[in-house]
Amino acid sequence: MIQINPSFSLRLKRFLPCLFILILACVEPFDFQSIGFDRKLVVDASLTNEAREHFVNLSYTFPLDTNLNLAGSDAEVAFIEASGNRVVLRETTPGHYVTNPNYAGIPGQTYRLSIVLPDGQEFLSDPELLRDPVPIDSVYAEYTSIPVQDLNGNDFTGVQIFVDAQSDAEEPHSFRYDYVESYEVPVPYPSEFDWMGGGDNFQLIERPQPLGTCYRVGYPTSPLLATTRGLIENRIFQFRVRFISEFARELAYQYIIAVRQLTISNNAHTYFKQLRESNESQGSLSDEQLGTMPSNIKNVDNPLDLVLGYFEVAGVTEVKKRLSYHEFLDEGIQTEEWICEPHPLLPDPGGLDFNDINCYSRGETTFNVLIIEEDFIISRDGDTTFFTTRTYDWSALEFAMNSRCSPNLRITSMSPAEDQVSVAHFLCSDCTTYGTVERPAVWDD
């Protein structure tokens, strides 16, 4: 039986170019086919003490020689409380089931996950105790270096984000850490206007929101686990949840991270530890397989039927921390502010010639224009929307507004006399090249 997980799929894509070279080097192509495939249910489910939408994701394994995404749709999914009450989840997208937004598990209570598939197969989890959440003492950052040298023989330097937590309970605790991080990506010449149409004349429309500051969001790529088992104190000290290189863009302006500490069972800790080890080991097709990971979900009629995944029940505490490189200037951090150029850690806009002055300027370029007419109305979906709009003679910019260059230009501003407009290349004026203009919820207090 051959099965696939998402992280392995990504590594396989990196492996393919090398495989292609080997094929050209006189190796006969191998017609790869999966043998003896068994479709298995994959479950990703979480319930905590937070008042939020709790989720269950259902899917199926698929052969390695296919490119399928088999969602587990039309199932009956419910959390069963200790009292026997069933909390039914609704399917919002194929295979994704959620509770109502205000549902919260109760610490000290046990819960089970029930899944009934369209063909009648029933799956039930073991009873899982929702443990009391352990408070986070602090989330803090330190500028330091780690003894891992780069290609030039230098240590990596940057900011490490740590968590401290301590419990007065006698029994040891196991934790999984999760986070959502977000940071600002501003541009020096925000585009305040857009135009409808092209050619020698264009219609200028004021944007509802200038494209000046956008946001990027990040998450951990593998399980972050800690335990106090075997320790003298029931305490987590300087557990690192994140390292940010000083040359990265995360700290160039404002940065925020929301760290969640999930108090989980020892069995859940073992499951996520094996999941992490499995993902880390699958660097090539010849890696040793670590075997089946223990699941707490079973087929009611056939307990030997393998289920992939886990029903995680946890008590959660969350702490947010805001950072900026200014905090570490005295310690020698080298992060620079945004300089309006592509960066290896940001998406590559692709195919740009930075020496072509006909296509863009590193700063704003101002042109004199001639107003031709005013008042412009657009009807969208039956609603009439009025814009503060003017049409200009664009002949002064004719050299820049050819088919090759015009997609790279953005209108940044207009003079008070309304006889001049300023333009800049989108890398310098359109922050949506790097992120989204909507501020993520993690920034909310």
Side-chain angles (χ1 to χ4, degrees), residues 23 26 77 81 97 119-121 185 235 277 292 346 354-355 412 422:
I23 291 174
C26 78
V77 180
E81 300 175 337
Y97 303 81
D119 62 3
Q121 292 188 80
V185 184
R235 178 189 182 197
E277 292 173 350
T292 302
L346 292 174
F354 290 93
N355 296 317
T412 58
S422 298

Side-chain angles (χ1 to χ4, degrees), residues 7-153:
S7 63
F8 179 77
S9 177
L10 293 175
R11 289 179 172 85
L12 184 62
K13 290 179 181 179
R14 299 190 184 110
F15 174 75
L16 286 177
C18 297
L19 180 62
F20 181 69
I21 293 174
L22 291 176
I23 291 174
L24 293 181
C26 78
V27 178
E28 274 191 33
F30 174 66
D31 185 13
F32 180 81
Q33 294 181 349
S34 60
I35 302 173
F37 170 75
D38 292 328
R39 191 176 80 158
K40 298 299 180 182
L41 180 66
V42 181
V43 181
D44 179 20
S46 175
L47 173 62
T48 72
N49 60 300
E50 302 163 291
R52 56 177 292 182
E53 278 190 349
H54 301 276
F55 70 90
V56 175
N57 291 324
L58 302 182
S59 59
Y60 296 97
T61 57
F62 54 88
L64 189 61
D65 58 346
T66 63
N67 186 21
L68 302 175
N69 184 13
L70 302 176
S73 299
D74 302 324
E76 298 177 10
V77 180
F79 295 145
I80 303 177
E81 300 175 337
S83 64
N85 180 51
R86 295 175 65 88
V87 179
V88 179
L89 285 72
R90 69 186 190 280
E91 186 174 14
T92 56
T93 57
H96 182 69
Y97 303 81
V98 297
T99 64
N100 70 64
N102 299 317
Y103 183 72
I106 301 175
Q109 300 294 315
T110 59
Y111 297 86
R112 305 184 81 174
L113 172 63
S114 170
I115 303 170
V116 180
L117 300 181
D119 62 3
Q121 292 188 80
E122 183 178 358
F123 297 82
L124 191 64
S125 76
D126 298 330
E128 292 291 338
L129 175 66
L130 201 161
R131 287 162 170 75
D132 291 325
V134 175
I136 295 177
D137 293 335
S138 63
V139 174
Y140 54 99
E142 294 182 359
Y143 175 69
T144 184
S145 62
I146 55 178
V148 179
Q149 294 185 340
D150 60 20
L151 296 177
N152 297 321

Side-chain angles (χ1 to χ4, degrees), residues 299-319:
N299 188 320
V300 173
D301 296 324
N302 183 11
L304 297 181
D305 184 19
L306 177 66
V307 178
L308 302 179
Y310 206 88
F311 175 40
E312 179 186 50
V313 178
V316 176
T317 52
E318 179 181 279
V319 171

